[in-house]
Amino acid sequence: MQTKVNANGLKGTFKYAYDSENSDIATVSTKGLIKGIAAGDTAVNCIITSGDETIAEIRTNVHVVIPVKKLTPANKSITMAPDTMWRVTVELSPEDATVKDVVWASSKPEVAAVSDNGIIMALQKGKANITATAADGSKIKATIAVTVKNYDLVLKNFRSGKVSYETGTGMFGIGYSAKKGNVEVSGGSGNTVEVTPKQAGEDTVTISIVNYLTRKTKKYSYSVYVEPVISAEENPGFSCGSAFRAEIRGVFFSALRTGPSFGH
């Protein structure tokens, strides 16, 4: 960043002499161009002379900031279930940027709203873009694509849930698996399978029933979503603007109190 110090309004033939009080923070050229070197505060002095006479001494305070040059989201895209939350983060570059805050916004808050500290609340099926903008005025942005869709089973507060199946008559074998490994599947009581969360995200649970007599296989497939755990410190509440904020806040705290959501 460069700027120029001058002395408009004075008449006559003058000489200008410039100096910086801390050249490690900002330097100034012989023509009065100030260049920021490092974050901090200093001052630039301009002495105006005519012959042997000093006409004016001008002191300009200089505040140098290191602007954000890049924002990198931890997740470029995420998929969520309605009435669940996900905290998104971005990495600022350079690391020594003066202002490290970002401003969050949603392109469709009726689908997915976002709080001031980056907590997304999924409200209904659809798609939205969550944007983080550097708060230093650099206009640097990062966008996270959010897809909200329905699932057969939603696991909240990292509690397990169950899905069911039917075997029919005869001798049979049962096998079950999780496609992505975000959940663990184990045998449950009766005609149910226990689904235990391992990490946040979506998964597909498949139950295979093999009839030994007919040698036919019947499969049950369930879409599963695991909501990430968000601590109370990470989540002071939403601030999304307008009357819509109250509605979101109600859904938000309701989601905190809700346990596992079972589906078939």
Side-chain angles (χ1 to χ4, degrees):
M1 178 188 69
Q2 292 185 334
T3 187
K4 185 175 182 179
V5 176
N6 54 44
N8 294 329
L10 296 178
K11 297 180 180 180
T13 301
F14 306 102
K15 291 183 178 180
Y16 302 84
Y18 305 93
D19 73 273
S20 171
E21 294 182 3
N22 190 337
S23 58
D24 290 333
I25 293 177
T27 60
V28 59
S29 71
T30 57
K31 294 183 178 181
L33 290 174
I34 301 173
K35 182 178 181 181
I37 303 299
D41 295 285
T42 186
V44 168
N45 299 303
C46 174
I47 300 177
I48 306 171
T49 59
S50 177
D52 295 331
E53 182 181 0
T54 298
I55 303 301
E57 294 185 13
I58 302 171
R59 187 176 188 271
T60 302
N61 293 321
V62 177
H63 177 64
V64 180
V65 299
I66 298 177
V68 173
K69 294 184 178 180
K70 185 179 181 181
L71 291 176
T72 304
N75 306 88
K76 292 184 178 180
S77 62
I78 59 174
T79 303
M80 302 176 66
D83 297 331
T84 62
M85 297 176 292
W86 189 297
R87 186 179 187 189
V88 287
T89 59
V90 290
E91 180 182 349
L92 283 77
S93 178
E95 292 183 357
D96 58 349
T98 304
V99 180
K100 301 184 184 299
D101 295 330
V102 297
V103 178
W104 294 96
S106 172
S107 64
K108 292 184 178 180
E110 70 275 13
V111 172
V114 63
S115 70
D116 292 340
N117 59 339
I119 296 178
I120 300 173
M121 180 71 193
L123 297 175
Q124 63 179 334
K125 184 179 178 180
K127 294 185 177 182
N129 288 325
I130 302 299
T131 302
T133 303
D136 63 353
S138 63
K139 298 183 180 180
I140 299 297
K141 297 182 178 182
T143 300
I144 301 163
V146 177
T147 300
V148 182
K149 64 181 187 180
N150 296 323
Y151 292 84
D152 297 317
L153 176 65
V154 178
L155 303 178
K156 297 183 178 182
N157 302 323
F158 247 64
R159 297 177 183 173
S160 61
K162 294 180 180 181
V163 291
S164 63
Y165 59 88
E166 294 180 2
T167 60
T169 59
M171 298 182 64
F172 53 86
I174 303 174
Y176 31 78
S177 63
K179 185 177 181 179
K180 295 184 177 181
N182 289 331
V183 297
E184 186 175 40
V185 188
S186 59
S189 59
N191 288 2
T192 62
V193 168
E194 190 86 7
V195 183
T196 304
K198 294 178 65 178
Q199 61 183 23
E202 60 180 352
D203 211 331
T204 301
V205 170
T206 301
I207 305 172
S208 300
I209 311 296
V210 180
N211 188 306
Y212 291 144
L213 181 62
T214 64
R215 296 183 181 275
K216 291 183 178 180
T217 300
K218 184 176 182 179
K219 291 187 177 182
Y220 293 84
S221 183
Y222 296 91
S223 58
V224 181
Y225 179 77
V226 180
E227 181 185 36
V229 174
I230 300 176
S231 68
E233 290 77 13
E234 293 176 305
N235 178 21
F238 276 141
S239 178
C240 301
S242 77
F244 186 61
R245 182 190 307 178
E247 179 182 350
I248 294 175
R249 196 180 288 273
V251 174
F252 170 73
F253 287 112
S254 175
L256 282 180
R257 295 190 296 267
T258 303
S261 175
F262 304 131
H264 299 289

